[in-house]
Amino acid sequence: MWLGARAAVIFLGVAVALQYLLPPNRGDLTVEEYCENFNFYLDMVDPDSPEILDATGRWVLRDEGWGVTYFEPLGPLYCSDLVFGTSEDGWVTWIQFSETAYTDYVYIGQSYALAAALALAGAQRDFNCFTFDAAGWAEFWEDTRDQFQGECRGIYITQQVERQGYDGQGQFLQAVGENPRFRRTVTLSLEGSEIR
């Protein structure tokens, strides 16, 4: 009995820890609920981000005393506001955003793409605390930096990359010509959703 009770306590502890990886909103999502899920995951993958999404998918500064200016050695990717496709009932069916850079050195981070995918995938009722693979999503985005089109864990993903005047592989790019430009557009959709 003691071993059974101990195993139950360990099982419950693991279940509670894994439950924390699921977003606050599950099932069909409104735009506001999706943005809440996105911010939940952004706090996990990039807790130092000075911006979060408002209820409509626009970037706003955090109101937690963010006033410190810091300088990054590499140019950031500037993320557009999110664009949403919704069903007739108002449920989110697809999400799209772009990240752009024009600086001499660029770091291609995956925080926004990862948070966007987790916010949509984690809401799906097919997943529970034992089957939702947040680490698998992180690994997927680490390996997905170029053009990509396909399906991953029930989410259809298209990533278009335009690069002009940059050299480099992986996360780091360096400008080698005049007027360098990098743009990545990510579209995430539920199976069967039509993107317009």
Side-chain angles (χ1 to χ4, degrees):
M1 286 178 53
W2 180 83
L3 284 176
R6 197 76 176 137
V9 167
I10 291 171
F11 175 80
L12 289 174
V14 169
V16 167
L18 292 175
Q19 190 68 28
Y20 177 72
L21 295 176
L22 293 176
N25 303 296
R26 305 285 312 280
D28 293 330
L29 301 174
T30 64
V31 169
E32 183 175 355
E33 290 170 336
Y34 175 84
C35 292
E36 187 178 349
N37 283 2
F38 183 100
N39 291 334
F40 172 81
Y41 285 115
L42 186 61
D43 283 342
M44 279 187 193
V45 299
D46 190 6
D48 296 328
S49 173
E51 294 182 313
I52 58 173
L53 293 180
D54 69 8
T56 65
R58 289 180 166 60
W59 290 104
V60 296
L61 288 175
R62 290 179 188 263
D63 54 356
E64 298 175 356
W66 287 85
V68 178
T69 302
Y70 63 94
F71 297 95
E72 297 183 28
L74 298 171
L77 288 174
Y78 295 98
C79 190
S80 69
D81 293 334
L82 275 62
V83 176
F84 297 93
T86 57
S87 67
E88 292 179 5
D89 297 327
W91 308 124
V92 171
T93 57
W94 59 267
I95 302 100
Q96 186 176 72
F97 63 90
S98 296
E99 294 176 297
T100 309
Y102 302 93
T103 54
D104 289 340
Y105 295 92
V106 178
Y107 169 73
I108 305 172
Q110 300 291 58
S111 298
Y112 296 148
L114 178 56
L118 288 170
L120 189 61
Q124 304 311 303
R125 293 282 184 203
D126 296 345
F127 295 113
N128 59 44
C129 64
F130 298 107
T131 60
F132 183 57
D133 182 17
W137 274 107
E139 185 178 308
F140 168 83
W141 281 109
E142 279 304 312
D143 297 333
T144 308
R145 298 191 184 279
D146 295 316
Q147 298 278 113
F148 176 81
Q149 187 170 359
E151 185 266 342
C152 184
R153 296 172 181 84
I155 304 297
Y156 190 76
I157 303 165
T158 302
Q159 177 171 275
Q160 298 173 324
V161 177
E162 304 166 40
R163 188 165 90 171
Q164 171 187 315
Y166 280 111
D167 191 22
Q169 297 295 323
Q171 296 176 305
F172 301 100
L173 301 178
Q174 178 180 0
V176 293
E178 293 185 20
N179 303 316
R181 181 175 187 268
F182 176 87
R183 180 181 178 90
R184 171 173 68 174
T185 302
V186 176
T187 306
L188 307 165
S189 61
L190 297 173
E191 185 178 347
S193 301
E194 184 177 334
I195 299 170
R196 289 176 264 170

